[in-house]
Amino acid sequence: MKAVYVDAPESIKVKKVEIPALKENEVLIKVRAAGICGSDIHTYKGLHPFRKPPVIIGHEIAGEIVEVGNNVKDFSAGDRVTVEPQIGTGESEGVMTGNINYSDERLAPGIGEWLGAMAEYFISPESQVIKLPDSVDYDRGVLVEPLAVGVHAAYKADIKPTDRVAVIGSGPIGLLTLAAVKHRGVETTLVTDVLDYSLDVAKEMGATLTVNSAQDENWIENAKNELGGSFDKVFVTAGVRGIIDQSLSLLRKGGKVITVAMFNGSQEVNIENLQQNEKEIIGCMTYNRPDTEEAVRIIEEDKIPVNKVISHKLSLDEADYGFKIVDKKEDESVKVLVKFDS
């Protein structure tokens, strides 16, 4: 089969590899579409903490089961599926509490023997496979996993319909967090970014106000004035310098900041603003099964146009280009899919 490798930092190669042998509790999926994720870009740049080149990349997929192991009970050839790409391992707090995202050791595609998903075929344990509703096509099926991140963030924030919500960063995770928040009934939403085309997508997905923070040095006060005051919840979906303090400045007293983005390095925090106003900063890491199941329901209901985040559908041979434009934020890229023809 052909597979997309991060061969070395900032080097993508398409290579031919053998399809691994199927174990008794596994299914073999013919991949129809795979997404390029922000964490994939961390691997691409050599910055990911535990997924290192050379490695078959990818974990956002949708496809069709073509073979099942002898002990697989709930799936059969022909099923249309996606995959929840994380498994808690070892005697960790996450495994013991049922919060797999807490696990000290987690198995994911591209780690150890579990090969990445951006390939013509992908093997997954049955336990991680999720059926797609008939109405959900493969392209939207790819969005289940990143949308689950936004759903988990909304859960951690304890979102209420009356909340005034800001999303700082309108990349794919920010936009899908917006979708998860709107699914919970929130009407007043601010989305910020430095790229107008990405903010245009936020408008299409129902953001009340969008702001290009690079073009207005007083954007925080202006946004609060336009929407009637400070915000109850602020989601940080871009890991740039100074963004935590910006989010605290948007927040009302007693409000919550939820950190969703992957951060490299440290962030300075105005501890006085945090403490004296009883604001909270909440860590948020991936998702758990209930979040994934809710993500499937959101996509199936089709009330929020999550497909708007898909900006490119590329062939396998164009994967290198896809990684470059996502990394450099070029060609108006948002969510880039790599498609596998039947």
Side-chain angles (χ1 to χ4, degrees), residues 187-203:
E187 295 184 359
T188 302
T189 53
L190 165 71
V191 179
T192 77
D193 206 277
V194 298
L195 299 171
D196 285 335
Y197 71 82
S198 191
L199 292 171
D200 288 341
V201 178
K203 292 176 187 175

Side-chain angles (χ1 to χ4, degrees), residues 14-29:
V14 176
K15 299 182 180 182
K16 277 196 168 183
V17 297
E18 294 293 323
I19 301 174
L22 192 65
K23 297 178 182 178
E24 59 186 13
N25 66 335
E26 294 179 334
V27 304
L28 178 65
I29 300 168

Side-chain angles (χ1 to χ4, degrees), residues 63-125:
E64 178 186 348
I65 293 177
V66 293
E67 187 179 351
V68 300
N70 291 333
N71 283 350
V72 170
K73 305 298 183 185
D74 296 326
F75 296 90
S76 58
D79 286 344
R80 301 168 60 258
V81 298
T82 186
V83 173
E84 187 178 85
Q86 61 173 5
I87 300 172
T89 62
E91 291 297 323
S92 68
E93 184 177 342
V95 173
M96 290 185 288
T97 63
N99 298 291
I100 299 304
N101 60 332
Y102 292 178
S103 297
D104 300 320
E105 297 180 12
R106 285 186 302 140
L107 183 61
I111 301 172
E113 295 183 356
W114 198 2
L115 300 184
M118 198 170 288
E120 291 181 303
Y121 293 91
F122 177 63
I123 285 180
S124 172

